[in-house]
Amino acid sequence: MIKGKEWQWSMKVSSYQLFWLISISSMIVFSYLPIQLAAKESRQDAWISILLGCMIMMAITWIMLRVCMQNKDKTLVGFMKNLLGTVLGKIIVTVYFLLWFLQISSIARGTVEFQNLVMLHNTPMIVILLCFLFLVAYSVYRGGITAISRCAEIIGPFFVFILYGQLFLNPQDMDMKRILPIYADTGWIPILKGTLYSFNYMVDPSVILMLFFFAENKRTASRAILWGTAVAMIWGVLATLVVLFVTGPGMAAELVVPVYTLTKIVSILNFIQNIDALFIPLWLLGGFIKLSVYLFILSYGLSEWTGFKNWKLIACLTTFILLANVIYSTHNLRIGFTYTSLFQIGFFYPFVYIAIPLILWMIGSIRQRRKASNIN
């Protein structure tokens, strides 16, 4: 039986697998809230807000990769303690644990509600939630990040191809005039406000801080992560434009899963129709990959943080806590609205996505320069 560091080293992810993990995870998050949030603020210029947000997220991803390259042999918990000290490092790490738990709760609830709405109308949500979380917990318990990455490697090509392809199946419903006039009706303030509200929900680059440790080749892994993020960002901009072309800004601001709506109205010569039957399973598989990644990094991080080496047991306990939280939040609408509160959008997400990585990068760079000067 593999234990301790031997088990840790057996969980290695190739750069190819990392590319699919990042692209699937990012596209799942992008398909949920960002387009709606941007359209509410910047209307027909939502695509500009999304484009600016994508540029910000690519820059944040690059910064986080710099931090990871400075600390190749450590996980997030390890290099936080090394750079900030044991006490402060542990405190800051808990902020990321909270972020991942909020994200996994939000995605689990959204995925189950979506499944209940489009497929299993008469099935109690608790049953769907139990089955879905059991599958996620089982995959993490049995195979860890290795099993998740292999699933992503198989699902990824189909997932990305279908999500890109379905954007171009509504040519007869597209009206490019729906994004006109550009800028004149909104101005920079609503556009930037749309960016502020939406970019936090496009991707979650913080998972890189934990996943990078398990990469086989760190240099090629950096390129794979950047390309995976870029694939998702390009898709997000195109999806926003297509949604605006087809539905207009008014309806786009009301659609919770706008990409699914596009699949419902596809009709090519009255022959190719109902492709949502193909989209729904892929979307659920993507949600499974995303939740599994979150559960793994959260349980593994908590294992390092607490010193309790059985991270698999922590994963099981975390799943039960997650189950209770999702059930409670579905019956308490006020909890659901906190996920898009002004505090989170204006302070919490910028703090964990921008401020902390910049501080870590600066501290790491200063230490590297001091080491180099001492050697010389």
Side-chain angles (χ1 to χ4, degrees):
M1 184 175 179
I2 303 174
K3 292 183 179 180
K5 287 192 175 181
E6 292 181 9
W7 168 252
Q8 186 185 79
W9 284 108
S10 70
M11 292 194 295
K12 285 297 177 182
V13 182
S14 70
S15 300
Y16 181 73
Q17 291 170 333
L18 263 178
F19 170 81
W20 293 116
L21 276 175
I22 297 299
S23 57
I24 292 173
S25 300
S26 302
M27 290 172 78
I28 279 293
V29 176
F30 217 130
S31 65
Y32 189 47
L33 277 177
I35 299 174
Q36 179 200 35
L37 294 174
K40 280 184 178 179
E41 300 299 329
S42 50
R43 310 300 291 171
Q44 71 266 23
D45 290 323
W47 68 275
I48 302 177
S49 297
I50 294 293
L51 180 60
L52 292 174
C54 289
M55 294 168 66
I56 293 171
M57 272 302 173
M58 286 298 295
I60 292 172
T61 302
W62 185 85
I63 291 170
M64 288 192 175
L65 283 172
R66 295 305 95 199
V67 174
C68 292
M69 289 297 288
Q70 289 174 347
N71 305 274
K72 298 178 183 179
D73 58 339
K74 297 182 181 68
T75 62
L76 174 65
V77 179
F79 68 71
M80 278 285 193
K81 291 192 290 184
N82 182 50
L83 295 175
L84 302 176
T86 302
V87 176
L88 183 59
K90 280 196 168 187
I91 293 172
I92 297 296
V93 165
T94 58
V95 177
Y96 282 99
F97 292 161
L98 176 62
L99 169 68
W100 296 337
F101 187 80
L102 288 175
Q103 294 279 32
I104 196 174
S105 298
S106 178
I107 294 168
R109 189 179 70 250
T111 304
V112 170
E113 287 176 351
F114 176 76
Q115 194 171 4
N116 182 253
L117 178 67
V118 301
M119 289 181 64
L120 308 172
H121 308 287
N122 299 319
T123 305
M125 285 186 60
I126 181 65
V127 176
I128 304 173
L129 184 63
L130 280 170
C131 294
F132 197 57
L133 289 184
F134 172 78
L135 180 63
V136 170
Y138 181 79
S139 65
V140 173
Y141 184 86
R142 292 294 297 174
I145 193 62
T146 305
I148 301 166
S149 60
R150 286 176 180 170
C151 288
E153 187 178 10
I154 296 170
I155 297 166
F158 300 101
F159 182 87
V160 173
F161 176 77
I162 293 297
L163 261 68
Y164 263 93
Q166 58 112 15
L167 295 179
F168 304 98
L169 297 179
N170 301 92
Q172 72 280 1
D173 298 313
M174 293 185 190
D175 184 358
M176 296 187 182
K177 293 180 181 178
R178 290 189 174 122
I179 67 167
L180 300 176
I182 296 173
Y183 177 75
D185 285 353
T186 51
W188 281 115
I189 293 178
I191 290 173
L192 293 176
K193 194 174 179 183
T195 299
L196 175 64
Y197 273 75
S198 61
F199 91 92
N200 300 289
Y201 300 97
M202 291 178 181
V203 298
D204 182 7
S206 65
V207 298
I208 300 168
L209 299 174
M210 201 73 186
L211 282 180
F212 196 81
F213 171 75
F214 299 96
E216 284 180 346
N217 187 317
K218 308 298 184 184
R219 189 164 297 280
T220 57
S222 297
R223 291 198 294 268
I225 289 169
L226 281 174
W227 275 110
T229 306
V231 165
M233 297 296 96
I234 294 169
W235 178 84
V237 175
L238 290 174
T240 305
L241 282 168
V242 172
V243 169
L244 291 172
F245 290 157
V246 174
T247 67
M251 189 179 292
E254 303 299 325
L255 299 173
V256 179
V257 189
V259 183
Y260 171 69
T261 304
L262 294 179
T263 66
K264 292 287 289 182
I265 60 178
V266 169
S267 178
I268 301 176
L269 302 175
N270 291 323
F271 179 70
I272 299 177
Q273 295 177 329
N274 301 321
I275 67 165
D276 53 308
L278 185 62
F279 172 82
I280 292 169
L282 280 173
W283 204 81
L284 293 175
L285 286 170
F288 159 74
I289 296 293
K290 182 68 174 176
L291 288 174
S292 299
V293 169
Y294 271 129
L295 182 60
F296 172 76
I297 62 174
L298 182 58
S299 56
Y300 197 92
L302 284 170
S303 173
E304 276 196 294
W305 191 83
T306 58
F308 184 71
K309 298 196 175 187
N310 192 347
W311 63 268
K312 292 187 175 183
L313 179 59
I314 293 176
C316 295
L317 294 174
T318 303
T319 305
F320 282 112
I321 297 171
L322 173 65
L323 176 65
N325 182 67
V326 173
I327 293 172
Y328 179 69
S329 64
T330 53
H331 290 86
N332 191 328
L333 295 178
R334 187 176 61 184
I335 297 293
F337 283 114
T338 60
Y339 292 121
T340 55
S341 69
L342 188 60
F343 169 77
Q344 283 188 307
I345 292 171
F347 174 76
F348 182 70
Y349 287 125
F351 179 67
V352 294
Y353 289 157
I354 301 174
I356 296 177
L358 279 174
I359 292 170
L360 295 175
W361 187 28
M362 290 170 60
I363 294 174
S365 299
I366 292 169
R367 287 195 176 186
Q368 283 184 342
R369 287 175 186 172
R370 284 181 178 175
K371 284 182 181 179
S373 61
N374 290 335
I375 292 172
N376 293 332

